[in-house]
PDB file of all heavy atoms in Angstrom:
ATOM      1  N   ASP A  11     181.473 159.844  33.261  1.00 95.00           N
ATOM      2  CA  ASP A  11     181.394 159.085  34.507  1.00 95.00           C
ATOM      3  C   ASP A  11     181.074 157.621  34.210  1.00 95.00           C
ATOM      4  O   ASP A  11     181.044 157.201  33.046  1.00 95.00           O
ATOM      5  CB  ASP A  11     180.379 159.724  35.471  1.00 95.00           C
ATOM      6  CG  ASP A  11     178.959 159.742  34.924  1.00 95.00           C
ATOM      7  OD1 ASP A  11     178.645 158.975  33.968  1.00 95.00           O
ATOM      8  OD2 ASP A  11     178.144 160.522  35.451  1.00 95.00           O
ATOM      9  N   ASP A  12     180.831 156.833  35.241  1.00 94.00           N
ATOM     10  CA  ASP A  12     180.570 155.402  35.090  1.00 94.00           C
ATOM     11  C   ASP A  12     179.304 155.105  34.304  1.00 94.00           C
ATOM     12  O   ASP A  12     179.149 154.012  33.769  1.00 94.00           O
ATOM     13  CB  ASP A  12     180.486 154.719  36.463  1.00 94.00           C
ATOM     14  CG  ASP A  12     181.827 154.723  37.182  1.00 94.00           C
ATOM     15  OD1 ASP A  12     182.873 154.857  36.510  1.00 94.00           O
ATOM     16  OD2 ASP A  12     181.827 154.606  38.427  1.00 94.00           O
ATOM     17  N   GLN A  13     178.395 156.072  34.220  1.00 95.00           N
ATOM     18  CA  GLN A  13     177.166 155.905  33.450  1.00 95.00           C
ATOM     19  C   GLN A  13     177.296 156.451  32.023  1.00 95.00           C
ATOM     20  O   GLN A  13     176.331 156.479  31.277  1.00 95.00           O
ATOM     21  CB  GLN A  13     175.980 156.607  34.142  1.00 95.00           C
ATOM     22  CG  GLN A  13     175.529 155.938  35.436  1.00 95.00           C
ATOM     23  CD  GLN A  13     176.476 156.207  36.592  1.00 95.00           C
ATOM     24  OE1 GLN A  13     176.929 157.321  36.793  1.00 95.00           O
ATOM     25  NE2 GLN A  13     176.783 155.166  37.356  1.00 95.00           N
ATOM     26  N   GLY A  14     178.493 156.900  31.676  1.00 96.00           N
ATOM     27  CA  GLY A  14     178.731 157.429  30.342  1.00 96.00           C
ATOM     28  C   GLY A  14     178.310 158.872  30.153  1.00 96.00           C
ATOM     29  O   GLY A  14     178.289 159.374  29.031  1.00 96.00           O
ATOM     30  N   LYS A  15     178.005 159.564  31.252  1.00 96.00           N
ATOM     31  CA  LYS A  15     177.568 160.952  31.182  1.00 96.00           C
ATOM     32  C   LYS A  15     178.779 161.887  31.232  1.00 96.00           C
ATOM     33  O   LYS A  15     179.617 161.782  32.119  1.00 96.00           O
ATOM     34  CB  LYS A  15     176.621 161.250  32.342  1.00 96.00           C
ATOM     35  CG  LYS A  15     176.027 162.631  32.293  1.00 96.00           C
ATOM     36  CD  LYS A  15     175.054 162.854  33.435  1.00 96.00           C
ATOM     37  CE  LYS A  15     174.572 164.289  33.427  1.00 96.00           C
ATOM     38  NZ  LYS A  15     173.789 164.610  34.607  1.00 96.00           N
ATOM     39  N   LYS A  16     178.863 162.801  30.267  1.00 97.00           N
ATOM     40  CA  LYS A  16     179.972 163.741  30.194  1.00 97.00           C
ATOM     41  C   LYS A  16     179.980 164.622  31.447  1.00 97.00           C
ATOM     42  O   LYS A  16     178.959 165.135  31.867  1.00 97.00           O
ATOM     43  CB  LYS A  16     179.815 164.615  28.956  1.00 97.00           C
ATOM     44  CG  LYS A  16     180.872 165.676  28.827  1.00 97.00           C
ATOM     45  CD  LYS A  16     180.623 166.557  27.609  1.00 97.00           C
ATOM     46  CE  LYS A  16     181.549 167.745  27.629  1.00 97.00           C
ATOM     47  NZ  LYS A  16     181.333 168.648  26.505  1.00 97.00           N
ATOM     48  N   PHE A  17     181.192 164.784  32.029  1.00 97.00           N
ATOM     49  CA  PHE A  17     181.282 165.682  33.183  1.00 97.00           C
ATOM     50  C   PHE A  17     182.424 166.688  33.081  1.00 97.00           C
ATOM     51  O   PHE A  17     182.479 167.642  33.836  1.00 97.00           O
ATOM     52  CB  PHE A  17     181.377 164.897  34.510  1.00 97.00           C
ATOM     53  CG  PHE A  17     182.689 164.211  34.743  1.00 97.00           C
ATOM     54  CD1 PHE A  17     183.755 164.879  35.336  1.00 97.00           C
ATOM     55  CD2 PHE A  17     182.863 162.886  34.384  1.00 97.00           C
ATOM     56  CE1 PHE A  17     184.958 164.242  35.571  1.00 97.00           C
ATOM     57  CE2 PHE A  17     184.068 162.243  34.618  1.00 97.00           C
ATOM     58  CZ  PHE A  17     185.117 162.925  35.206  1.00 97.00           C
ATOM     59  N   PHE A  18     183.353 166.490  32.133  1.00 98.00           N
ATOM     60  CA  PHE A  18     184.427 167.463  32.014  1.00 98.00           C
ATOM     61  C   PHE A  18     184.984 167.467  30.603  1.00 98.00           C
ATOM     62  O   PHE A  18     185.162 166.428  29.991  1.00 98.00           O
ATOM     63  CB  PHE A  18     185.569 167.166  32.995  1.00 98.00           C
ATOM     64  CG  PHE A  18     186.408 168.372  33.305  1.00 98.00           C
ATOM     65  CD1 PHE A  18     186.056 169.228  34.330  1.00 98.00           C
ATOM     66  CD2 PHE A  18     187.531 168.672  32.551  1.00 98.00           C
ATOM     67  CE1 PHE A  18     186.812 170.356  34.610  1.00 98.00           C
ATOM     68  CE2 PHE A  18     188.295 169.791  32.818  1.00 98.00           C
ATOM     69  CZ  PHE A  18     187.934 170.642  33.850  1.00 98.00           C
ATOM     70  N   GLY A  19     185.231 168.672  30.121  1.00 97.00           N
ATOM     71  CA  GLY A  19     185.807 168.883  28.800  1.00 97.00           C
ATOM     72  C   GLY A  19     186.267 170.323  28.698  1.00 97.00           C
ATOM     73  O   GLY A  19     186.545 170.971  29.711  1.00 97.00           O
ATOM     74  N   GLU A  20     186.301 170.850  27.487  1.00 97.00           N
ATOM     75  CA  GLU A  20     186.803 172.208  27.280  1.00 97.00           C
ATOM     76  C   GLU A  20     185.938 173.281  27.940  1.00 97.00           C
ATOM     77  O   GLU A  20     186.463 174.282  28.422  1.00 97.00           O
ATOM     78  CB  GLU A  20     186.961 172.502  25.796  1.00 97.00           C
ATOM     79  CG  GLU A  20     188.243 171.951  25.220  1.00 97.00           C
ATOM     80  CD  GLU A  20     189.486 172.401  25.975  1.00 97.00           C
ATOM     81  OE1 GLU A  20     189.779 173.608  26.024  1.00 97.00           O
ATOM     82  OE2 GLU A  20     190.190 171.529  26.508  1.00 97.00           O
ATOM     83  N   GLY A  21     184.631 173.098  27.961  1.00 96.00           N
ATOM     84  CA  GLY A  21     183.767 174.102  28.591  1.00 96.00           C
ATOM     85  C   GLY A  21     184.076 174.283  30.073  1.00 96.00           C
ATOM     86  O   GLY A  21     184.398 175.394  30.517  1.00 96.00           O
ATOM     87  N   PRO A  22     184.009 173.213  30.857  1.00 97.00           N
ATOM     88  CA  PRO A  22     184.367 173.338  32.267  1.00 97.00           C
ATOM     89  C   PRO A  22     185.814 173.788  32.479  1.00 97.00           C
ATOM     90  O   PRO A  22     186.100 174.530  33.421  1.00 97.00           O
ATOM     91  CB  PRO A  22     184.131 171.930  32.825  1.00 97.00           C
ATOM     92  CG  PRO A  22     183.066 171.368  31.935  1.00 97.00           C
ATOM     93  CD  PRO A  22     183.392 171.914  30.569  1.00 97.00           C
ATOM     94  N   CYS A  23     186.716 173.381  31.602  1.00 98.00           N
ATOM     95  CA  CYS A  23     188.108 173.815  31.703  1.00 98.00           C
ATOM     96  C   CYS A  23     188.196 175.333  31.558  1.00 98.00           C
ATOM     97  O   CYS A  23     188.827 176.008  32.377  1.00 98.00           O
ATOM     98  CB  CYS A  23     188.947 173.127  30.627  1.00 98.00           C
ATOM     99  SG  CYS A  23     190.666 173.668  30.565  1.00 98.00           S
ATOM    100  N   ARG A  24     187.554 175.875  30.533  1.00 98.00           N
ATOM    101  CA  ARG A  24     187.570 177.323  30.326  1.00 98.00           C
ATOM    102  C   ARG A  24     186.887 178.047  31.479  1.00 98.00           C
ATOM    103  O   ARG A  24     187.326 179.115  31.907  1.00 98.00           O
ATOM    104  CB  ARG A  24     186.895 177.685  29.000  1.00 98.00           C
ATOM    105  CG  ARG A  24     187.766 177.325  27.803  1.00 98.00           C
ATOM    106  CD  ARG A  24     187.313 177.943  26.487  1.00 98.00           C
ATOM    107  NE  ARG A  24     185.894 178.190  26.340  1.00 98.00           N
ATOM    108  CZ  ARG A  24     185.019 177.346  25.816  1.00 98.00           C
ATOM    109  NH1 ARG A  24     185.412 176.166  25.379  1.00 98.00           N
ATOM    110  NH2 ARG A  24     183.746 177.668  25.705  1.00 98.00           N
ATOM    111  N   LEU A  25     185.812 177.446  32.006  1.00 98.00           N
ATOM    112  CA  LEU A  25     185.102 178.042  33.137  1.00 98.00           C
ATOM    113  C   LEU A  25     186.028 178.143  34.352  1.00 98.00           C
ATOM    114  O   LEU A  25     186.091 179.198  35.001  1.00 98.00           O
ATOM    115  CB  LEU A  25     183.859 177.217  33.475  1.00 98.00           C
ATOM    116  CG  LEU A  25     183.007 177.729  34.628  1.00 98.00           C
ATOM    117  CD1 LEU A  25     182.395 179.096  34.298  1.00 98.00           C
ATOM    118  CD2 LEU A  25     181.905 176.724  34.957  1.00 98.00           C
ATOM    119  N   LEU A  26     186.763 177.077  34.653  1.00 98.00           N
ATOM    120  CA  LEU A  26     187.676 177.108  35.798  1.00 98.00           C
ATOM    121  C   LEU A  26     188.804 178.115  35.589  1.00 98.00           C
ATOM    122  O   LEU A  26     189.196 178.809  36.535  1.00 98.00           O
ATOM    123  CB  LEU A  26     188.236 175.716  36.074  1.00 98.00           C
ATOM    124  CG  LEU A  26     187.252 174.708  36.647  1.00 98.00           C
ATOM    125  CD1 LEU A  26     187.914 173.347  36.792  1.00 98.00           C
ATOM    126  CD2 LEU A  26     186.701 175.171  37.985  1.00 98.00           C
ATOM    127  N   ARG A  27     189.321 178.209  34.382  1.00 98.00           N
ATOM    128  CA  ARG A  27     190.355 179.218  34.099  1.00 98.00           C
ATOM    129  C   ARG A  27     189.787 180.623  34.298  1.00 98.00           C
ATOM    130  O   ARG A  27     190.467 181.505  34.833  1.00 98.00           O
ATOM    131  CB  ARG A  27     190.918 179.067  32.684  1.00 98.00           C
ATOM    132  CG  ARG A  27     191.883 177.932  32.534  1.00 98.00           C
ATOM    133  CD  ARG A  27     193.161 178.203  33.293  1.00 98.00           C
ATOM    134  NE  ARG A  27     194.021 177.019  33.279  1.00 98.00           N
ATOM    135  CZ  ARG A  27     194.839 176.708  34.240  1.00 98.00           C
ATOM    136  NH1 ARG A  27     194.932 177.461  35.322  1.00 98.00           N
ATOM    137  NH2 ARG A  27     195.592 175.635  34.173  1.00 98.00           N
ATOM    138  N   ALA A  28     188.553 180.824  33.897  1.00 98.00           N
ATOM    139  CA  ALA A  28     187.918 182.140  34.074  1.00 98.00           C
ATOM    140  C   ALA A  28     187.677 182.426  35.553  1.00 98.00           C
ATOM    141  O   ALA A  28     187.796 183.577  35.993  1.00 98.00           O
ATOM    142  CB  ALA A  28     186.621 182.210  33.280  1.00 98.00           C
TER     143      ALA A  28
END
Side-chain angles (χ1 to χ4, degrees):
D11 62 18
D12 293 338
Q13 290 75 44
K15 185 178 175 188
K16 177 183 170 182
F17 72 86
F18 203 87
E20 279 306 297
C23 176
R24 287 194 330 268
L25 181 64
L26 289 177
R27 283 292 173 211

